[in-house]
Amino acid sequence: MLRFLRWAALLVGALGSSVAFAQGANRPTSPINGADTVWVLISAGLVMLMTPGLAFFYGGMVRQKNVLTTLLQSFICLGVISVQWMLFGYSLVFSSGNGFIGGLGHLGLAGIPLNGATTYAPTIPALVFVLYQMMFAVITPALISGAFAERVKFSAYLLFVIAWATFIYDPIAHWFWGAGGWLGAMGALDFAGGSVIHISSGISALVFVLVIGRRIGYPDEEMRPHDLPLTLIGTGLLWFGWFGFNGGSALSIGPVAAVAVMNTHLAAAAGALVWMAVEWRKQGQPTALGIASGAVAGLATVTQGAGYIAPFAALVFGVCGGLACYSAVLLKVRLKYDDALDTFGVHGVGGIIGALLTGLFASSAINAAGRNGLFNGNPSQLLIQATGVVATAAYAALGTWILLKVIDAMVGLRVSPADELAGLDVSQHGEMAYHGP
């Protein structure tokens, strides 16, 4: 009897398992892919880390009396732009609108499916896509802060980053990435923000320093970085985070993500080595600041094409970016405009070079979602990329100039001479980075 009951239990269990399996087989499968979701979530975290990394990178290069302010100008974007993005920034970029700007259909993230995907990234939850793109919006205005370091009111800076994100970043991002954006419809390629992020911020940085003027004592007074180890830590965090910046832009885990990560690393390495070699030959010594700047130049240059090019081309991007950005920094010295931390020289120039090189090296064999460049039989792509460069630079320049004039009339852009000489840490925040004898 006991044996009979045991066999009956086994039979019922087997039948139940078969029914459950059959029901599972007939259930529609979710398009959400767990591996893709994890990859983009990790990438979002990596890109978030880049903003504190940028703070350290910039913070080490300023004078001691301004280090806290410089750090805060990056950190505060994590708060301000995250809220802006949730309330209306995402909608202006990715909601249905026209060729110039998105609509208001996703104000406050209304209409974003909490349990489903978006057409922009069908294999990950919609909120993961929103979060990932938020981190791009956060770091972009923070990049600009390096140009006007040590002389801007914190209140004016807050107004600027909100206005700039809304009226400059959001429209340009829509042009390239939003549904119906006119440059995207034309076929312009920007894999992870070479134009959207680096050209827009670099050109805006140049306009900002021309409007606000030079620091007191520049260029006659020596203004050495106060803590280069801090800058090297920031460089390492940026390099690490850039794997998510570029690799995550594939929006899935697979060959395109793999090639983007590899290209990111190779371009950074080539940029660092080239800057070091040129500086060594010209000045007789390699410097830590030069090697760090070369790595970031390579990273900024490859961003536009990271997911569209072969690894060997990434080396070309890094070499060209390192040479061009080094030359731009030397030009700054000759022309005596005060781009304090070389935002235009590294990000603006690197972004422009990367956009044009993408028009040469892009290959649809690497990424079927892309297009071929000139070297792969499509010469028109170079013209399209150049159109994107000109449009981005012109709009960012004019728009930034208008915003600065309005903000200057409202609250004033620059601190007083006395506050600038005392240092912004004390005059703007009542704090000091370092205490002691």
Side-chain angles (χ1 to χ4, degrees):
M1 182 67 178
L2 197 57
R3 182 179 298 176
F4 172 79
L5 291 175
R6 187 180 297 125
W7 278 105
L10 290 172
L11 179 61
V12 171
L15 288 173
S17 298
S18 298
V19 171
F21 179 81
Q23 290 175 340
N26 293 326
R27 187 182 301 141
T29 58
S30 170
I32 301 298
N33 181 283
D36 291 349
T37 301
V38 169
W39 170 241
V40 181
L41 278 171
I42 291 172
S43 295
L46 289 171
V47 181
M48 179 270 165
L49 184 65
M50 291 176 69
T51 298
L54 180 71
F56 295 146
F57 179 74
Y58 280 166
M61 286 193 278
V62 297
R63 290 170 289 181
Q64 181 173 316
K65 62 184 179 180
N66 297 308
V67 60
L68 278 180
T69 300
T70 303
L71 293 169
L72 280 174
Q73 286 174 344
S74 290
F75 270 92
I76 197 62
C77 288
L78 283 165
V80 172
I81 303 303
S82 295
V83 173
Q84 185 267 1
W85 188 252
M86 179 268 177
L87 291 176
F88 53 85
Y90 176 83
S91 188
L92 293 176
V93 177
F94 291 107
S95 184
S96 298
N98 53 50
F100 183 78
I101 190 69
L104 303 178
H106 293 315
L107 289 180
L109 301 187
I112 301 296
L114 299 182
N115 297 310
T118 170
T119 54
Y120 292 102
T123 65
I124 63 175
L127 285 179
V128 175
F129 178 74
V130 174
L131 177 68
Y132 181 67
Q133 291 295 335
M134 178 189 290
M135 296 305 129
F136 281 75
V138 163
I139 196 172
T140 309
L143 289 171
I144 304 172
S145 67
F148 52 76
E150 304 190 311
R151 65 205 120 142
V152 171
K153 293 179 180 179
F154 194 67
S155 58
Y157 175 71
L158 290 176
L159 290 175
F160 174 75
V161 297
I162 296 169
W164 191 89
T166 303
F167 295 107
I168 309 298
Y169 178 83
D170 291 345
I172 293 174
H174 179 76
W175 297 355
F176 283 90
W177 296 336
W182 71 277
L183 283 173
M186 183 186 293
L189 298 175
D190 189 353
F191 187 74
S195 291
V196 173
I197 295 170
H198 296 290
I199 295 179
S200 69
S201 63
I203 294 295
S204 296
L206 179 61
V207 171
F208 205 127
V209 298
L210 294 177
V211 168
I212 200 171
R214 297 180 290 190
R215 288 168 290 178
I216 295 174
Y218 182 90
D220 300 318
E221 180 184 332
E222 192 172 55
M223 299 179 180
R224 287 183 176 271
H226 89 286
D227 190 347
L228 283 176
L230 193 65
T231 294
L232 289 178
I233 291 172
T235 305
L237 290 173
L238 286 171
W239 194 327
F240 176 62
W242 228 293
F243 291 154
F245 197 86
N246 289 350
S249 292
L251 298 175
S252 63
I253 188 72
V256 174
V259 77
V261 170
M262 175 60 79
N263 289 341
T264 299
H265 185 69
L266 291 174
L273 292 175
V274 166
W275 195 302
M276 178 188 72
V278 174
E279 186 179 57
W280 202 337
R281 179 176 178 81
K282 185 172 180 62
Q283 300 182 12
Q285 292 177 313
T287 67
L289 180 58
I291 293 169
S293 299
V296 175
L299 291 164
T301 302
V302 81
T303 294
Q304 188 126 2
Y308 301 125
I309 61 173
F312 180 79
L315 290 177
V316 178
F317 274 61
V319 169
C320 293
L323 290 173
C325 295
Y326 179 81
S327 300
V329 171
L330 291 184
L331 184 63
K332 176 195 78 169
V333 175
R334 292 178 183 175
L335 297 180
K336 298 182 180 180
Y337 65 87
D338 191 8
D339 179 2
L341 309 182
D342 299 318
T343 300
F344 169 71
V346 172
H347 295 278
V349 172
I352 291 169
I353 297 300
L356 297 177
L357 289 176
T358 300
L360 298 177
F361 288 96
S363 171
S364 59
I366 300 293
N367 186 345
R371 296 159 61 94
N372 286 324
L374 185 149
F375 293 158
N376 290 297
N378 181 23
S380 65
Q381 191 61 38
L382 181 59
L383 178 60
I384 293 172
Q385 296 300 112
T387 301
V389 169
V390 173
T392 300
Y395 180 77
L398 178 60
T400 299
W401 184 84
I402 293 172
L403 292 179
L404 291 174
K405 292 299 182 181
V406 171
I407 295 169
D408 194 30
M410 291 172 59
V411 300
L413 287 171
R414 187 160 185 161
V415 298
S416 69
D419 285 348
E420 185 174 341
L421 290 172
L424 272 60
D425 291 358
V426 171
S427 67
Q428 296 294 294
H429 304 289
E431 297 177 299
M432 295 176 62
Y434 310 105
H435 296 269

